[in-house]
Amino acid sequence: MLIHIPNVLSPEEVRYFRDRLEAAEWTDGRVTAGEQSAKAKLNLQIPQDSPECRELGEIVLRALGRNPTFNSAALPLRVYPPLFNRYDTGMHFDAHVDNAIRPIPGAGMRIRTDVSSTLFLTGPDEYEGGELVIQDTYGIQSVKLPAGDMVLYPSTSLHSVNRITSGSRWASFFWSQSMVRDDTKRRLLYDFDCSIIETRKALPDSHPAVLGLTSTYHNLLRQWAEL
Ligand code: NI
């Protein structure tokens, strides 16, 4: 499933990110690509160990921590430290699937990539082309969001970034290992949680329907979660 999460970063935060990234060192994006995807990839990234990457990555992680939609949809166990990329005119990333397992630099651990996230840092009016194209179970989806908005999609999806024909597209991207590996189960839990939220708007928390639905949600998560 694809989920659009608006306003993960405020306009002020986006402005701050843009200023910091403007001054950062940009290098060839193929450093984090696998063997097949390196051939398909032409973009720029800031080094993972740069002060900008660390500082801005921390701000993204804090923003995720306070975002109920991200937590409900991704059910994250571990989140990879966010990376930052940029596609200038002529740059693109052809169809590929991201590596399944990624070592977390300096942490001595690896994560399984279950959920991919792209957080847009430039608005749709700042570049032409550059759509994130995702081959989902429901067909091909083309995504281009306002600055500060984020899309989540299953890491099992084949995806690409269309060639930029003018302007520049900046984004943060990262992966999460979910407590629930299977996308269909995650979708059911997300829909279930959304229904509970709607029910709680209509009924008091002490109502047996709210109590029953909430209990069943947690018991289902207990069945499916791997920690
Ligand atoms: Ni990718």
Side-chain angles (χ1 to χ4, degrees), residues 65-219:
R66 61 175 189 252
N67 192 294
T69 309
F70 173 76
N71 287 290
S72 174
L75 294 165
L77 175 63
R78 297 191 185 104
V79 181
Y80 192 86
L83 297 167
F84 296 85
N85 66 12
R86 164 177 160 186
Y87 292 80
D88 290 342
T89 304
M91 294 184 174
H92 60 95
F93 199 163
D94 297 337
H96 65 283
V97 166
D98 296 339
N99 286 356
I101 308 291
R102 287 196 170 259
I104 299 184
M109 58 163 36
R110 295 178 293 176
I111 74 160
R112 185 185 65 231
T113 55
D114 294 322
V115 181
S116 299
S117 304
T118 297
L119 170 57
F120 288 75
L121 298 173
T122 38
D125 51 338
E126 295 179 82
Y127 56 95
E128 298 287 335
E131 298 83 3
L132 172 62
V133 178
I134 302 163
Q135 300 192 21
D136 189 42
T137 38
Y138 297 102
I140 295 177
Q141 318 260 350
S142 180
V143 181
K144 191 171 189 174
L145 300 178
D149 286 17
M150 185 165 85
V151 63
L152 301 187
Y153 60 97
S155 302
T156 47
S157 322
L158 204 55
H159 59 281
S160 55
V161 176
N162 285 343
R163 187 180 297 274
I164 306 285
T165 53
S166 72
S168 184
R169 171 199 192 271
W170 297 21
S172 174
F173 65 103
F174 53 91
W175 303 269
S176 304
Q177 178 170 335
S178 178
M179 291 185 282
V180 176
R181 178 199 296 229
D182 184 84
D183 180 52
T184 309
K185 289 179 178 165
R186 274 199 312 274
R187 164 100 236 181
L188 285 167
L189 286 167
Y190 178 66
D191 288 344
F192 198 158
D193 192 32
C194 291
S195 298
I196 291 173
I197 291 168
E198 288 307 313
T199 310
R200 290 179 66 200
K201 284 181 195 162
L203 297 172
D205 276 357
S206 57
H207 193 285
V210 174
L211 193 61
L213 289 172
T214 308
S215 306
T216 307
Y217 173 85
H218 284 288
N219 290 334

